[in-house]
Amino acid sequence: LYYVYPYQIAIQIPKDAAGSGLAEIVVYRVSTSEILAVTEVRMDVASPAFFTEGSTGTGQIAAINQDGTINNVTVKTDSAGKVIQGPGERSKVVSLYLTGQGNIAGMPDDGQPPTTTVPTPPEAQLRVFIGTKELEQSQIQYSGLGGGYPGLWQINAVIPDATVPGINPVVILYRGFPSNINPVTGGRVTTTIAVK
């Protein structure tokens, strides 16, 4: 359980949960056994989705540039004038943060952060697109659990030289599932990074 807000609860799906069919989720008050909510969710082996600014699922994704700054179209500096946020550079690495990689070999116990690298399997056939370019496999430097948080998926990828400066869409395909489809509505979402 990550957090509980008045209209939202964030949980980690257990790693041994079913990879198909429907799963029932029941929220109840332990002290009274009162059922507060019940829903069914469709289960798949993967459901890739980027963490985004404002937690909307669209727009600027959670990403860190190679120089350690937060990826964003708006440049911000700290009180000493050091850049802490701005676009990433072409030919440099950007770390992308996602969820939905599914169960992978070597995962830590539910609710625990990884203490070593836990890469996604090659047979998952990860494909990364930045702007209008599909990255070559050599441009995907790492894909797996990372960032020190339970279930957090990190992809380190080189921004292609041919990427147009400005706001660029970023999409992945993983186990055949695209990151730009809302699993609830089936509608397309747009996720982006900033490039200079």
Side-chain angles (χ1 to χ4, degrees):
L1 179 65
Y2 287 113
Y3 59 79
V4 177
Y5 290 153
Y7 299 100
Q8 182 177 359
I9 298 174
I11 62 169
Q12 179 185 14
I13 301 294
K15 66 181 181 180
D16 61 352
S20 64
L22 293 175
E24 184 178 65
I25 297 177
V26 179
V27 178
Y28 70 97
R29 188 181 318 264
V30 175
S31 62
T32 64
S33 297
E34 175 188 8
I35 294 176
L36 303 174
V38 178
T39 191
E40 287 185 331
V41 294
R42 189 178 66 125
M43 301 296 288
D44 278 312
V45 294
S47 184
F50 288 101
F51 288 102
T52 60
E53 189 174 86
S55 302
T56 62
T58 63
Q60 173 69 48
I61 67 168
I64 301 292
N65 299 320
Q66 184 171 324
D67 63 4
T69 59
I70 297 169
N71 184 278
N72 198 292
V73 70
T74 304
V75 176
K76 287 187 180 177
T77 58
D78 63 13
S79 58
K82 180 182 175 191
V83 174
I84 57 172
Q85 174 180 297
E89 293 183 51
R90 290 173 283 177
S91 299
K92 301 283 185 176
V93 174
V94 63
S95 296
L96 315 172
Y97 296 97
L98 308 89
T99 188
Q101 76 285 339
N103 191 355
I104 56 177
M107 288 181 82
D109 291 336
D110 293 333
Q112 298 300 310
T115 56
T116 63
T117 58
V118 182
T120 54
E123 63 269 17
Q125 300 179 341
L126 172 66
R127 298 170 65 191
V128 178
F129 301 82
I130 295 177
T132 59
K133 303 292 180 195
E134 179 176 359
L135 276 61
E136 297 176 16
Q137 288 303 305
S138 63
Q139 293 175 299
I140 303 170
Q141 296 186 346
Y142 176 73
S143 171
L145 300 183
Y149 294 96
L152 181 63
W153 177 11
Q154 179 176 332
I155 297 174
N156 297 339
V158 177
I159 300 172
D161 282 336
T163 306
V164 176
I167 298 172
N168 281 269
V170 59
V171 175
I172 70 155
L173 283 173
Y174 178 77
R175 296 188 186 271
F177 294 95
S179 64
N180 64 340
I181 300 296
N182 182 316
V184 176
T185 66
R188 189 173 301 273
V189 298
T190 301
T191 47
T192 62
I193 62 169
V195 178
K196 62 180 173 181

